[in-house]
Amino acid sequence: MNIAYLNGKYLPIEQAKISPLDRGFLFGDGVYEVVPSYSGKLVGFKPHLQRMNEGLEAIGIKTGWSEKQWLDLCLKLIQDNGAGNLGIYIQISRGTYESRAHRFPEVVTPTIFAFCFEIASPPVADKSRVKTYTVSTARDIRWDRRDIKSTSLLGNVLHYQQGVEQGNQETLLYNDRNELTEASSCNAFIVKNGTVITPPLDHQKLPGITRQILLDILLNDGQIPVEERAVSMQEVAEADEVWITSSSREIAPVVAIDSVPVGNGQVGDVWLAAQTLFCANRFNY
Ligand code: PDD
């Protein structure tokens, strides 16, 4: 049974109901988080919570919840759902109001919803077992505040679907300057001549927690050079390796872009080194 949380109650997810007047439903007026947990151990809880709080602040939603309340919510859902390999989804919308009006209601209680879904076992640093990705490319059509993890995901959904319809599992996105932003549900990295390169954080991309953890691990280790700088799509096309990162995938190797092999079309050695470090350190965050 899938036990969810909705506005103060833990209940089977089929019984979790919200009003169609909820602003999350009407306007996509809310933020969300996905925190991975393996056998009861969370990965990156603090940075995930910090990003969620920054998103709430950016759109003017106040929950009054403390870090302990959020942690207790996650731990209770993990226990109630079997403590296996779980993604914990948390969504906060501005709440339900009596009518549909764009302006923020003066008095409204945020809707807090959370549930768990099964995710694969923690990724392993093994070239023969890792799930590889092929991706499409597209000019990024999303709004100008992609740094907010908003539930308004239409642009992301359309981009993801573009990839699927072309037989791929993701879509790499680029801005008007032909520079890589991210992918529709992941951040993106390239490797060239042994250096790991990723575009810097700005409003054009989500500050991914996997991205943040990976950069931290690589910098602490100090063996692999890292650069945060603009990456042209030309560089993406000429890269030795391309990776996409997200909480449930960790570091996922991209082996073809628009049907053209990345590098030699195989999973690379720098990926192996990076995922090995990630496996050794994921629970330190
Ligand atoms: N996606 N960029 C976008 C647009 C994303 O939606 C995500 C995450 C990421 C990676 O962020 P993180 O490393 O914090 O998971 C980057 C989540 C998992 C989702 O929407 O399901």
Side-chain angles (χ1 to χ4, degrees):
M1 196 190 328
N2 189 333
I3 299 296
Y5 170 90
L6 180 64
N7 293 334
K9 292 201 178 76
Y10 291 89
L11 68 185
I13 193 155
E14 315 75 56
Q15 291 171 25
K17 302 268 186 331
I18 60 158
S19 162
L21 287 175
D22 192 276
R23 291 177 62 98
F25 181 67
L26 291 177
F27 297 115
D29 184 0
V31 296
Y32 75 105
E33 254 328 304
V34 181
V35 191
S37 166
Y38 299 108
S39 307
K41 280 192 276 178
L42 290 156
V43 178
F45 171 75
K46 276 186 188 240
H48 276 283
L49 182 64
Q50 185 178 343
R51 180 175 66 188
M52 192 176 86
N53 282 331
E54 284 168 7
L56 288 168
E57 171 92 30
I59 66 169
I61 293 181
K62 289 190 174 59
T63 64
W65 279 40
S66 64
E67 179 176 325
K68 179 165 187 314
Q69 280 174 290
W70 290 115
L71 182 60
D72 288 348
L73 168 68
C74 292
L75 296 178
K76 168 116 175 87
L77 283 179
I78 289 169
Q79 285 316 315
D80 288 358
N81 288 286
N85 300 321
L86 298 168
I88 300 147
Y89 178 91
I90 304 172
Q91 167 167 338
I92 300 134
S93 78
R94 198 173 305 281
T96 299
Y97 191 60
E98 63 205 33
S99 63
R100 179 183 178 277
H102 285 64
R103 67 170 291 173
F104 297 175
E106 272 169 23
V107 182
V108 67
T109 307
T111 299
I112 301 180
F113 168 61
F115 77 108
C116 294
F117 57 95
E118 270 185 44
I119 57 174
S121 318
V124 285
D126 180 340
K127 284 189 186 182
S128 64
R129 285 167 63 201
V130 65
K131 176 173 158 46
T132 58
Y133 284 72
T134 66
V135 302
S136 295
T137 55
R139 192 183 66 80
D140 202 331
I141 58 163
R142 299 170 301 157
W143 71 323
D144 265 347
R145 289 303 306 276
R146 303 162 202 154
D147 55 315
I148 299 173
K149 200 164 170 64
S150 160
T151 55
S152 307
L153 285 174
L154 184 57
N156 303 63
V157 167
L158 293 178
H159 276 316
Y160 194 96
Q161 186 63 18
Q162 243 172 324
V164 169
E165 285 171 13
Q166 291 167 0
N168 296 317
Q169 305 87 45
E170 247 295 10
T171 302
L172 286 183
L173 304 172
Y174 52 89
N175 63 18
D176 290 342
R177 291 193 300 277
N178 221 30
E179 292 163 351
L180 177 67
T181 56
E182 55 177 345
S184 74
S185 66
C186 299
N187 291 110
F189 289 72
I190 67 165
V191 179
K192 190 68 188 176
N193 299 328
T195 298
V196 172
I197 311 163
T198 195
L201 292 184
D202 55 21
H203 286 186
Q204 298 184 4
K205 59 196 73 81
L206 188 78
I209 304 307
T210 319
R211 173 190 184 281
Q212 180 183 329
I213 293 175
L214 174 58
L215 289 177
D216 194 61
I217 289 173
L218 291 175
L219 291 175
N220 281 340
D221 178 65
Q223 303 283 317
I224 303 171
V226 177
E227 290 176 13
E228 277 184 88
R229 62 163 175 82
V231 175
S232 72
M233 289 310 279
Q234 184 70 28
E235 288 180 282
V236 173
E238 292 169 358
D240 301 326
E241 299 182 31
V242 174
W243 311 332
I244 49 177
T245 63
S246 78
S247 292
S248 53
R249 299 177 187 88
E250 293 191 346
I251 313 165
V254 173
V255 293
I257 301 175
D258 293 331
S259 303
V260 178
V262 173
N264 63 8
Q266 307 293 315
V267 179
D269 291 335
V270 186
W271 172 83
L272 183 62
Q275 183 64 56
T276 302
L277 287 170
F278 205 100
C279 290
N281 290 285
R282 65 165 74 84
F283 294 118
N284 299 337
Y285 290 87

